[in-house]
Amino acid sequence: MTTVAEMLVDALAEHGVTQVWGVVGDALNPITDAIRRDDRVQWIGVRHEEAAAFAAGAQAQLTGRIGVCMGTVGPGSIHLLNGLYDAKKSHAPVLAICGQVPSPEMGTDFFQEVNNDVLFADVAQFAQTVTAASQMPQLLERAVNAAYSGQGVAVLTMPGDIGDEEIAKNALNPKFAPPSAEAAAPADQLATAATVLNDASAVTLLVGQGAREARAEILQLAQTLQAPMVLTLKGKEALEQDNPFQIGQSGLIGNPSTKKAFDDCEVLFLIGTDFPYRDWYPEGKTVIQLDFRAEHIGRRTQVNHAVVGHARPTLQALLPHLTARTDDEHVREATKAYRDWHERQQKLTNPGHDATFLGRLRGKADNPDDRIRPEAVAAALDRHAADDAIFTSDTGMSTVWISRFVEFRGTRRLLGSYNLGSMANAMPQALGAQALDRDRQVIANCGDGGLMMLLGDLRTAVSYRLPVTFVVYDNGRLGMVKLEQEQGGLPEFGTTLDNPDLAAVAAAMGLQSLRVTSTDALDEAVRTALASEEPFLLDVVTNPDEIALPPKASVHQAWGFAIAKTKETLESA
């Protein structure tokens, strides 16, 4: 006879699940014991369930296949929430298996009892509790199918006594639904879009990760329309390299050329993006939006023409109806502005070579102690990382540096908490990525604040021999919050971090490590870290006063920054 727990593990293994992340607990014992007895599935025990959810979500984003994590009764399940919210907002299919008190005790406010169906109602596409063995495998099928169809989270709660119950002899093996086929937008929507694009004097593209699989079509579209291409952060994968039309990102991490491209266009064409920042969209433009999720159309900016379909088949159907443009002034000016800005940025990666008066003045103003610039860290990673490396980045300034100084050439991948904006995501996401392929280079770009939040799971890399390179931008600050405060005219407050020697901490936890305090030692340290076949932490002490200017810094922001710096100087005197 097969038990509920055995059936569940066997079904997931047959589906291709090779790892389950979590923390063991009494209600989960039947399931973890079934995993122990099944050589196809590896149990990866983390120190905090939040890390398990982030790791499972990372695997789902990289593979498109279901990621699986587990948390036991009450607090164990609650700890999954933040990582699951990240999976939800990243459209990653994740199955969370949660423990529950024994079924006779449910509803009695028993020790550790939490109503998981209510707890996970907002984060999950599907959240149900198994109350009898006869409900399986149907509930498992519904959970997995819901995670795939909704590209989000499914939660299956298992009371401690249900896992050991036997499945009926006539129960069918679980069958999970295949993915739906990609489809082009309807012909009338294509015809309208083609007319608008052909009649426009200038077109700018804003392209996101929804167009990642349509690289050839996107490049042909930009060539035909002579259109500059603003990429979202997640659109850098596959779309940045060898792309003469791309001009970087918009938003706080962006650059002035994207503002120029937005301001100078007549038509803005959004493709596969849900770029959320309303203030960064141009006003007074004709907007076309192509997205296969109809609910995304128009929720960020007013859209004049909706095109509902998948990027690749829709663009394949649209391109034959477009007239090739000969006037390249718009794209020429935007790409030149991008190249000029990029050249200026590169000087920050090797500040000793910027011997101009302005270069020396800037160094004295914002880096008087001559600390390592974080731009130089990201640039060194770009030079020395493999072309198939996976990068993760913590929310905050480390994401800014990755956006500006790491090119996503080859088959490089990028993961972060770019929709939820959680701290502490880079390290556990890197664990998940590395567990998929221990021979592929994985680089976690960690803020010092984020790393300290889930510090215990550095040991998970050692325990399971996951050779991640953890690069810490150790500026002793919550850097993005500091910048936000100062732009608002407030003096820095509550952002200072009293860090230990993080390299020494990592060494005590069993990782190889180095602490870097001088720019001259940076390049060799990065090479050493990336060459290691063991988990390695590179603790780089960086300049806490580094500023990342947005594309259109307002007078209000500049004045606020000046006021904040004056207050900070007076308070420190």
Side-chain angles (χ1 to χ4, degrees):
M1 297 295 289
T2 301
T3 67
V4 169
E6 291 167 342
M7 180 278 302
L8 186 151
V9 172
D10 179 70
L12 293 177
E14 284 293 312
H15 185 61
V17 173
T18 58
Q19 290 153 356
V20 176
W21 299 75
V23 177
V24 296
D26 53 352
L28 299 177
N29 284 344
I31 301 174
T32 52
D33 186 61
I35 292 173
R36 177 185 65 82
R37 292 181 280 111
D38 194 318
D39 292 338
R40 297 170 295 174
V41 181
Q42 180 188 22
W43 171 259
I44 300 184
V46 295
R47 306 307 171 100
H48 194 291
E49 290 88 351
E50 182 178 346
F54 270 123
Q59 293 187 331
Q61 290 181 69
L62 290 169
T63 65
R65 305 280 290 176
I66 195 114
V68 184
C69 58
M70 291 171 53
T72 192
V73 182
S77 295
I78 294 169
H79 284 167
L80 292 171
L81 266 174
N82 192 53
L84 292 181
Y85 265 105
D86 186 77
K88 171 189 177 177
K89 293 179 74 67
S90 298
H91 305 293
V94 170
L95 174 65
I97 302 169
C98 296
Q100 185 56 283
V101 300
S103 50
E105 304 294 347
M106 290 173 58
T108 68
D109 196 23
F110 195 67
F111 175 65
Q112 292 190 318
E113 183 183 6
V114 172
N115 188 333
N116 284 351
D117 296 349
V118 174
L119 175 69
F120 293 105
D122 181 61
V123 73
Q125 303 279 337
F126 175 96
Q128 294 292 330
T129 299
V130 182
T131 57
S134 58
Q135 294 175 294
M136 298 291 274
Q138 286 81 7
L139 278 184
L140 176 63
E141 290 176 343
R142 289 177 57 200
V144 173
N145 290 343
Y148 277 130
S149 65
Q151 291 295 286
V153 174
V155 178
L156 194 63
T157 295
M158 190 81 66
D161 57 314
I162 297 294
D164 280 330
E165 289 192 6
E166 294 180 346
I167 295 288
K169 292 181 179 179
N170 60 349
L172 299 176
N173 292 328
K175 298 293 183 183
F176 303 125
S180 59
E182 291 190 349
D188 60 331
Q189 296 176 15
L190 293 173
T192 300
T195 299
V196 173
L197 292 169
N198 286 331
D199 291 346
S201 59
V203 178
T204 293
L205 308 178
L206 175 58
V207 186
Q209 72 164 354
R212 190 172 57 204
E213 304 303 322
R215 173 181 167 84
E217 291 78 11
I218 289 290
L219 291 177
Q220 186 179 347
L221 178 71
Q223 175 70 49
T224 301
L225 299 175
Q226 291 296 298
M229 187 187 308
V230 180
L231 297 177
T232 68
L233 179 61
K234 292 185 289 186
K236 282 169 68 75
E237 292 182 335
L239 294 172
E240 181 178 45
Q241 70 168 337
D242 299 327
N243 182 348
F245 304 99
Q246 75 89 16
I247 56 172
Q249 283 71 64
S250 182
L252 286 173
I253 64 175
N255 71 81
S257 67
T258 61
K259 181 179 186 301
K260 177 175 176 56
F262 283 158
D263 288 345
D264 292 351
C265 74
E266 179 185 350
V267 172
L268 176 64
F269 192 1
L270 315 180
I271 305 173
T273 179
D274 191 34
F275 182 71
Y277 306 107
R278 290 177 180 269
D279 290 344
W280 297 96
Y281 284 93
E283 296 180 353
K285 310 298 179 182
T286 299
V287 179
I288 304 171
Q289 184 172 3
L290 164 58
D291 202 301
F292 78 93
R293 294 185 177 92
E295 68 270 20
H296 285 185
I297 302 289
R299 73 174 181 177
R300 306 305 183 189
T301 190
Q302 185 69 45
V303 170
N304 304 94
H305 305 287
V307 183
V308 182
H310 291 84
R312 180 161 47 183
T314 298
L315 292 178
Q316 287 172 345
L318 175 66
L319 281 164
H321 301 286
L322 298 180
T323 302
R325 194 182 303 272
T326 57
D327 181 3
D328 66 350
E329 181 180 4
H330 178 49
V331 68
R332 228 180 340 103
E333 291 185 350
T335 52
K336 181 182 183 302
Y338 175 67
R339 288 193 302 271
D340 291 346
W341 171 83
H342 192 263
E343 183 178 332
R344 294 193 300 272
Q345 290 292 301
Q346 291 306 307
K347 293 179 180 179
L348 301 176
T349 70
N350 197 356
H353 288 183
D354 188 4
T356 65
F357 172 75
L358 289 177
R360 294 195 304 271
L361 183 63
R362 185 184 192 278
K364 292 293 185 184
D366 71 349
N367 192 13
D369 297 325
D370 197 26
R371 297 188 186 180
I372 300 170
R373 290 196 182 274
E375 296 96 330
V377 181
L381 290 173
D382 182 51
R383 284 194 301 273
H384 300 300
D387 282 354
D388 68 344
I390 298 172
F391 292 80
T392 68
S393 69
D394 267 336
T395 300
M397 299 307 293
S398 58
T399 292
V400 177
W401 314 131
I402 292 299
S403 166
R404 294 186 174 185
F405 297 98
V406 174
E407 180 188 7
F408 280 79
R409 55 184 176 269
T411 55
R412 287 179 173 179
R413 299 294 306 271
L414 176 64
L415 293 172
S417 184
Y418 302 135
N419 292 335
L420 180 63
S422 173
M423 292 178 66
N425 61 281
M427 181 261 286
Q429 287 179 324
L431 296 177
Q434 192 72 84
L436 288 173
D437 184 351
R438 285 171 168 81
D439 294 325
R440 189 172 183 179
Q441 200 172 71
V442 178
I443 306 165
N445 291 264
C446 303
D448 45 1
L451 182 73
M452 292 290 285
M453 278 187 172
L454 288 175
L455 187 67
D457 271 296
L458 275 180
R459 182 65 188 180
T460 302
V462 177
S463 300
Y464 292 91
R465 298 184 178 180
L466 301 173
V468 178
T469 302
F470 303 98
V471 179
V472 186
Y473 295 76
D474 189 353
N475 63 356
R477 295 292 193 280
L478 298 176
M480 185 64 81
V481 180
K482 175 181 184 292
L483 187 60
E484 290 167 347
Q485 289 176 346
E486 291 173 341
Q487 286 183 346
L490 300 173
E492 177 186 7
F493 180 76
T495 63
T496 303
L497 301 174
D498 183 19
N499 291 331
D501 181 330
L502 293 172
V505 171
M509 296 177 75
L511 290 86
Q512 296 182 4
S513 64
L514 280 175
R515 183 174 174 88
V516 188
T517 58
S518 109
T519 301
D520 291 341
L522 177 63
D523 214 59
E524 183 60 32
V526 168
R527 276 198 296 263
T528 299
L530 294 178
S532 174
E533 296 181 355
E534 302 293 331
F536 198 110
L537 186 137
L538 192 64
D539 180 15
V540 186
V541 180
T542 58
N543 175 29
D545 293 316
E546 205 70 15
I547 301 169
L549 291 176
K552 51 174 184 178
S554 66
V555 173
H556 174 75
Q557 288 172 324
W559 183 244
F561 190 79
I563 292 174
K565 285 300 181 185
T566 301
K567 290 178 180 177
E568 290 171 6
T569 301
L570 291 174
E571 289 181 3
S572 63

